[in-house]
Amino acid sequence: MTEERDGLVVLVDENGEETEFEHLDTIEYNGNEYVVLLPVEQSEEENDIEEVVILRIEQNDDGEDSFVTVEDDDELEAVFEEFKVRLEEEFEFEE
C-alpha cells in the first residue's frame, strides 16, 4: 500500500508499519517505469546517498499505480546506473 504526502511516499508493510520516503526520480527503462525513493531519515543527510529503494510501477486491476519489488538484480543495477547518471550533479554516490 502506498500513499503520497507533499512529495513524500508512505509505504505500508504487511504488518501495517508506515515508512516515509522522499521521491527522488521516476525512470523509464526497457518499457517499464520505476520509482527511486530515499528513506526520509537519509534525506536529512545532505547530498550523501547510502541506500535508495527502487520499485517498478505497475497498474493494478483498478487501473491505479502500485509499486512492486524488483527481484532481478541486473534490472535493479541497470535502473540504479541510469539514476546515477541522471542525478550525478545533485548527489554523491559511494563507489
Side-chain angles (χ1 to χ4, degrees):
M1 180 177 196
T2 62
E3 181 181 329
E4 287 197 48
R5 301 183 203 150
D6 299 323
L8 295 179
V9 175
V10 179
L11 299 181
V12 181
D13 68 16
E14 61 274 357
N15 299 321
E17 300 281 329
E18 289 187 355
T19 306
E20 290 186 341
F21 294 86
E22 178 183 349
H23 175 263
L24 296 180
D25 201 3
T26 301
I27 295 173
E28 192 169 324
Y29 178 77
N30 277 353
N32 293 308
E33 279 192 311
Y34 301 84
V35 63
V36 182
L37 306 173
L38 178 68
V40 168
E41 61 269 5
Q42 275 193 47
S43 69
E44 296 169 0
E45 300 169 17
E46 224 172 285
N47 293 340
D48 188 17
I49 292 182
E50 293 179 19
E51 179 181 332
V52 296
V53 175
I54 298 173
L55 301 169
R56 187 173 43 250
I57 301 171
E58 294 184 357
Q59 287 193 342
N60 62 22
D61 294 336
D62 298 328
E64 296 179 9
D65 286 347
S66 62
F67 297 148
V68 178
T69 302
V70 178
E71 302 292 335
D72 183 322
D73 289 340
D74 292 334
E75 181 180 359
L76 276 175
E77 185 63 29
V79 173
F80 183 62
E81 290 301 319
E82 177 67 22
F83 168 72
K84 288 185 350 184
V85 167
R86 290 167 57 125
L87 295 178
E88 66 185 344
E89 293 182 15
E90 293 182 44
F91 297 102
E92 296 173 17
F93 296 98
E94 293 181 8
E95 295 297 321

